[in-house]
Amino acid sequence: MQFIKPIIALCATVALGACSLMKDELDDCPQGLTVQFVYDYNVERADMFSDHVGSVTLYVYDAADGHLVRMQTEDNTASAQPLRDPNYRMTVDGLPAGDYRLLALANQRQYADLRQLPGTRYVRDGESEGMTALTVTLADLPARTAATAISQQLDTLWHGTLRSSVTRADDASASPEGGVGQTVTVREHQLTSCVVSLVRDTKRLHLSIRQADDPAHCDIADYDITLVDCNGRILWDNTVATPATPTEPTEPTITYTPFARWNTYYDGQTGQSLRQRPATDDQLEETAHADLDFNRLMLRGPQEPTAPALLTITHREDGRQVARINLPEILSQGRGAFEREHYGAQEFLDRAYDYRLDFILVGGQWQYMSLGIHTLPWTLRWQNVELN
């Protein structure tokens, strides 16, 4: 006998008891969706939606032609914070019976407030159009080929899709289980409940530099730090918009620079860590620090038209290049800390969001580099074998 195993979605249709028993009261029955939002697509594998997200917008599209049927937003405010309730559900009333696809965009703060802020911010386009028209762009980027620089802290962006129980193939997919291809069915006189899973697109890197041969002198003011990438626009399916060919670029190159720079000092005589330089350099270790925010990182191979995201450290005085690394390639090695999860390289880049790189310099160039991951007591160390 041959058995067929069905695919079971996590969208459960809940019929109200009173509606199913009394036919003459069907017109009074609620009809639509209740949506739970989760943010557990992270290395902690814990739902952090209520702790991290302050504003979420749900887009409901007709599954047949992709046109927008409903757009609904819920925010935390000074007077009410509904999203902080672990039991929060968004109710979308009155949807006609039919099949729908769902997308969601979320931020830490109200999107309406973000649009009024100066400087770099996430701006949505195509909200009232069809599903494939929805995009999110870092504000004020030029429309085509010019380069631009970003040196500010970014408000966090999440992208969400309908979750299902379809088993994820380990193919370096960047989406949580489910995705934009999944549909949810709304039936007459019934409420349908479903789950939308969020992926965090905004990343942060904390970088530190130390001198092994001159530990008392390593001032952050002596270094220029840049991350160059083509990742300023997120498309409807959470892919990064990139040029079709190297000779006809259609997306701007972005140079990210630190939004925060500072030094710390370890006084070996007293055992204290200080933010101000002590009077003597005896047994002193100075460490340079910088923090950068940037948009979603993508692994790119040598045959792709867009170059990989490159992190460069340059000495200001003489222009000497201290380090130049393929940042996604290096950061993706952090998945080794989660061997039992069998993360693909791109999946790990999308799950993790807070990285640390420590550079140890010898003779003005990096000799060792360590990678750390936020909340995890784990590091991976490289030696620069190209140095003599």
Side-chain angles (χ1 to χ4, degrees):
M1 182 177 293
Q2 189 176 24
F3 294 92
I4 299 175
K5 183 179 180 181
I7 296 175
I8 303 173
L10 294 182
C11 294
T13 302
V14 182
L16 299 182
C19 298
S20 62
L21 294 175
M22 301 185 66
K23 185 175 181 180
D24 58 349
E25 294 184 6
L26 285 175
D27 291 341
D28 296 327
C29 295
Q31 178 174 308
L33 287 172
T34 59
V35 183
Q36 177 187 5
F37 299 94
V38 298
Y39 169 45
D40 59 5
Y41 198 75
N42 48 59
V43 293
E44 292 87 352
R45 303 185 75 89
D47 183 10
M48 298 188 289
F49 176 83
S50 60
D51 294 326
H52 287 213
V53 177
S55 176
V56 62
T57 300
L58 178 71
Y59 302 86
V60 182
Y61 298 97
D62 185 273
D65 60 14
H67 80 270
L68 182 67
V69 176
R70 188 75 60 84
M71 180 174 67
Q72 188 164 316
T73 298
E74 189 86 63
D75 300 313
N76 287 339
T77 66
S79 58
Q81 298 190 334
L83 305 188
R84 294 192 65 84
D85 183 353
N87 297 314
Y88 169 76
R89 304 290 187 272
M90 178 183 286
T91 300
V92 186
D93 291 322
L95 281 178
D99 296 330
Y100 299 95
R101 289 190 172 94
L102 307 181
L103 294 180
L105 295 175
N107 297 97
Q108 288 178 318
R109 293 176 289 177
Q110 296 182 52
Y111 177 65
D113 291 344
L114 293 176
R115 295 195 64 180
Q116 306 303 318
L117 296 177
T120 305
R121 61 202 184 282
Y122 287 105
V123 173
R124 304 172 188 176
D125 295 305
E127 283 191 294
S128 61
E129 303 174 31
M131 182 171 67
T132 58
L134 182 64
T135 62
V136 183
T137 306
L138 288 171
D140 303 325
L141 294 188
R144 294 185 66 81
T145 61
T148 190
I150 293 176
S151 59
Q152 294 171 309
Q153 187 172 350
L154 301 178
D155 187 87
T156 307
L157 171 69
W158 286 268
H159 181 278
T161 55
L162 188 66
R163 169 177 287 183
S164 83
S165 60
V166 177
T167 302
R168 171 182 54 81
D170 191 14
D171 59 356
S173 172
S175 297
E177 298 175 8
V180 294
Q182 298 295 327
T183 62
V184 57
T185 300
V186 173
R187 295 180 172 85
E188 291 186 354
H189 314 299
Q190 295 179 355
L191 277 177
T192 299
S193 63
C194 61
V195 178
V196 168
S197 182
L198 301 177
V199 180
R200 176 168 170 159
D201 286 337
T202 311
K203 310 297 181 180
R204 176 163 297 177
L205 173 65
H206 174 74
L207 185 147
S208 66
I209 308 170
R210 288 180 288 163
Q211 289 272 9
D213 47 0
D214 188 11
H217 299 92
C218 191
D219 192 341
I220 190 62
D222 294 335
Y223 299 97
D224 285 323
I225 301 168
T226 61
L227 173 63
V228 177
D229 198 5
C230 179
N231 65 344
R233 192 158 61 101
I234 300 293
L235 302 181
W236 63 280
D237 58 356
N238 206 33
T239 56
V240 173
T242 55
T245 66
T247 57
E248 297 183 6
T250 56
E251 299 294 329
T253 298
I254 305 176
T255 299
Y256 299 93
T257 57
F259 67 84
R261 304 162 62 96
W262 72 100
N263 297 320
T264 58
Y265 307 89
Y266 175 74
D267 189 339
Q269 293 182 337
T270 64
Q272 292 181 313
S273 294
L274 310 169
R275 294 297 292 265
Q276 297 293 328
R277 190 180 189 94
T280 177
D281 286 351
D282 293 341
Q283 301 184 42
L284 179 67
E285 294 182 12
E286 181 179 27
T287 303
H289 302 272
D291 281 344
L292 299 86
D293 276 0
F294 44 89
N295 215 12
R296 185 183 179 203
L297 287 179
M298 301 296 297
L299 282 169
R300 301 188 180 106
Q303 304 304 318
E304 297 190 42
T306 304
L310 292 177
L311 177 71
T312 304
I313 305 174
T314 306
H315 199 280
R316 282 184 175 177
E317 184 176 352
D318 55 14
R320 176 169 30 93
Q321 193 172 91
V322 175
R324 180 180 175 86
I325 65 172
N326 181 331
L327 186 62
E329 178 65 31
I330 290 295
L331 296 184
S332 68
Q333 302 305 312
R335 67 189 187 277
F338 307 89
E339 290 185 0
R340 67 179 182 179
E341 306 295 349
H342 303 290
Y343 292 143
Q346 186 63 55
E347 179 181 356
F348 175 77
L349 288 175
D350 288 320
R351 283 184 177 270
Y353 59 87
D354 200 343
Y355 302 94
R356 180 187 180 98
L357 285 178
D358 298 320
F359 290 88
I360 308 299
L361 309 187
V362 176
Q365 287 187 298
W366 75 273
Q367 179 77 65
Y368 300 101
M369 177 177 60
S370 297
L371 166 64
I373 304 168
H374 178 64
T375 73
L376 185 69
W378 173 92
T379 58
L380 181 63
R381 180 168 176 166
W382 288 265
Q383 182 175 358
N384 190 344
V385 296
E386 295 181 353
L387 294 178
N388 295 325

